[in-house]
Every structure is written in structure tokens, then in C-alpha cells.
């Protein structure tokens, strides 16, 4: 009984630090090969070091002469667009986006595309690519029921199950006040401490 009371207290304490996001399922790294309407063929990937930088790499497969190029990076969570000049050497470009100066919230979907100006003056735009900026500093354990998915970085399976139960109950209470579309996945991330989230510049709150 004492262990259960302690566990329940821990779950309640942790729910005060739940970082709740409603996000669509996406891959950690998405590599796409696209052919724009202009006929240009490009491959692009992104990798990241969480809290440090995101590295965008592009390779033009088509035989074109690029005079000027920009990468357009869109942060879905904050609706912020960054446009940065890039260079293509032998059809290849690599750009490092500093996430210390440009805050990107964890579990945000980042989209990007390229704007190319060719030597003949024509302007081409690649299709868009995307990556989800997961917080990989931690090893996340996961449980899900229906559209609700709980991820936690500290605690056992019993803790996770209690967190999942609390999340489902909380969503039911919220849905009685405001509409909640549970057709989309609901991801809940429970950090070990509030500081683990606060140092990223993300707002935290207590219920």
C-alpha cells in the first residue's frame, strides 16, 4: 500500500510536468527523391544533434547550372520561416542550421525546400521535405491505447501505465469542455524534471 501511494504520488507529480503535443505520426528521418515541375531531380536528407544543429544535405541529380540558391526552412510549431543562402558544389549542398540561436521545440516537424536560380535566369523550386525533431537525449519508453501515446524517460512500466490512464482520463475531461479530435494521434511526453524541458526555452505549466 505504501509503495502504491508513493507511485501514485510520483505519477501525479509527473503529470504536472507533462509536455503535451498533438502531432501526426512521422518518421525520424525522411529521405525523398523528387522531380519538380521544371524537370529538376533532387535528393535531400536532414540529420540533427538535438539542441545544437540540424544539417540539411541536398544533391541535384539533373544536369543544371545553379547560379544562386536558398533553403527555405519552416518550423510548423511556431509558424516561423527561415530563408538562408546555400551553395551547390558539383550539385551538392550542405547547410547547418544552428538550433541554439534558432530555437526549435522538441517533437516539432520541420519542413524545407530549395529555391534555385539557374544561369539562364530561370527560377526552380524543389518539392518539400520533412523531419521530426525528436528529443533523442533520452531513451523513451512508450505505451499507447487508441490514439493516445505516452512516452516517458524515467520510471517503470507501472508508472507508464498509470500515466496513460491519467492521460486518457484527462482528455475525456478536456473533451467535455472543448472539442478534442482524437482521430489524430495524441503524443504525451513526460520529462524526468521540469528543467529538462525548461532549458530548451519551452513554456512549462502546472495543473
Amino acid at each position: 500500500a505504501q509503495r502504491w501511494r508513493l507511485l501514485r504520488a510520483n505519477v501525479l507529480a509527473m503529470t504536472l510536468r507533462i509536455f503535451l503535443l498533438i502531432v501526426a505520426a512521422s518518421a525520424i528521418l525522411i529521405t525523398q527523391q523528387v522531380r519538380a515541375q521544371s524537370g529538376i531531380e533532387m535528393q535531400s536528407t536532414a540529420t540533427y544533434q538535438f539542441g545544437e544543429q540540424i544539417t540539411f544535405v541536398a544533391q541535384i541529380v539533373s544536369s543544371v547550372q545553379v547560379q544562386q540558391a536558398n533553403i527555405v526552412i519552416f518550423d510548423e510549431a511556431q509558424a516561423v520561416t527561415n530563408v538562408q543562402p546555400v551553395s551547390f558544389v558539383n550539385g551538392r549542398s550542405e547547410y547547418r542550421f544552428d538550433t541554439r540561436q534558432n530555437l526549435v521545440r522538441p517533437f516539432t516537424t520541420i519542413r524545407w525546400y530549395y529555391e534555385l536560380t539557374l544561369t539562364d535566369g530561370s527560377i526552380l523550386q524543389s518539392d518539400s521535405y520533412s523531419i521530426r525533431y525528436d528529443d533523442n537525449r533520452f531513451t523513451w519508453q512508450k505505451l499507447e491505447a487508441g490514439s493516445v501515446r505516452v512516452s516517458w524517460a524515467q520510471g517503470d512500466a507501472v508508472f507508464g501505465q498509470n500515466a496513460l490512464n491519467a492521460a486518457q482520463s484527462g482528455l475525456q475531461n478536456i473533451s467535455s469542455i472543448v472539442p478534442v479530435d482524437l482521430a489524430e494521434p495524441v503524443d504525451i511526453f513526460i520529462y524526468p524534471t521540469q528543467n529538462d524541458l525548461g532549458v530548451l526555452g519551452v513554456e512549462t505549466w502546472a495543473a
Side-chain angles (χ1 to χ4, degrees):
Q2 179 65 21
R3 183 177 183 276
W4 171 251
R5 285 195 295 270
L6 289 174
L7 178 60
R8 185 170 183 272
N10 286 336
V11 171
L12 292 174
M14 291 301 291
T15 56
L16 298 181
R17 298 191 293 268
I18 285 181
F19 182 34
L20 173 63
L21 306 95
I22 301 180
V23 295
S26 61
I28 296 297
L29 175 64
I30 300 177
T31 302
Q32 297 176 326
Q33 179 171 306
V34 301
R35 184 182 298 274
Q37 292 180 354
S38 61
I40 189 171
E41 190 176 353
M42 178 184 290
Q43 297 173 337
S44 186
T45 61
T47 56
Y48 65 86
Q49 182 178 354
F50 188 85
E52 299 289 333
Q53 65 183 24
I54 304 175
T55 301
F56 299 93
V57 176
Q59 180 69 52
I60 299 175
V61 180
S62 305
S63 178
V64 295
Q65 298 297 318
V66 178
Q67 179 178 348
Q68 182 179 332
N70 291 321
I71 183 172
V72 181
I73 304 168
F74 179 66
D75 181 335
E76 286 194 347
Q78 303 181 84
V80 173
T81 300
N82 286 275
V83 180
Q84 298 293 334
V86 295
S87 298
F88 279 86
V89 178
N90 296 324
R92 185 180 187 276
S93 172
E94 181 173 321
Y95 175 73
R96 290 181 174 84
F97 184 69
D98 191 337
T99 56
R100 293 167 297 184
Q101 296 182 0
N102 304 279
L103 176 65
V104 178
R105 295 175 179 174
F107 310 104
T108 293
T109 295
I110 298 295
R111 301 188 184 278
W112 74 97
Y113 63 88
Y114 293 86
E115 293 178 340
L116 309 177
T117 302
L118 306 187
T119 53
D120 63 4
S122 60
I123 299 176
L124 308 178
Q125 178 179 307
S126 76
D127 282 358
S128 64
Y129 311 87
S130 65
I131 188 174
R132 200 174 84 162
Y133 187 66
D134 285 351
D135 189 344
N136 54 14
R137 296 175 302 163
F138 303 97
T139 300
W140 298 95
Q141 301 179 70
K142 299 181 181 181
L143 277 178
E144 62 181 275
S147 60
V148 181
R149 298 184 298 218
V150 170
S151 301
W152 70 100
Q154 183 176 302
D156 58 14
V158 175
F159 173 85
Q161 185 61 58
N162 280 280
L164 179 60
N165 294 341
Q168 291 178 305
S169 176
L171 286 172
Q172 290 176 356
N173 292 334
I174 292 173
S175 63
S176 66
I177 302 173
V178 294
V180 177
D181 183 8
L182 294 181
E184 293 292 334
V186 177
D187 281 348
I188 298 175
F189 299 87
I190 305 176
Y191 279 77
T193 70
Q194 194 169 12
N195 287 338
D196 291 322
L197 184 59
V199 295
L200 301 175
V202 179
E203 293 181 1
T204 58
W205 66 93

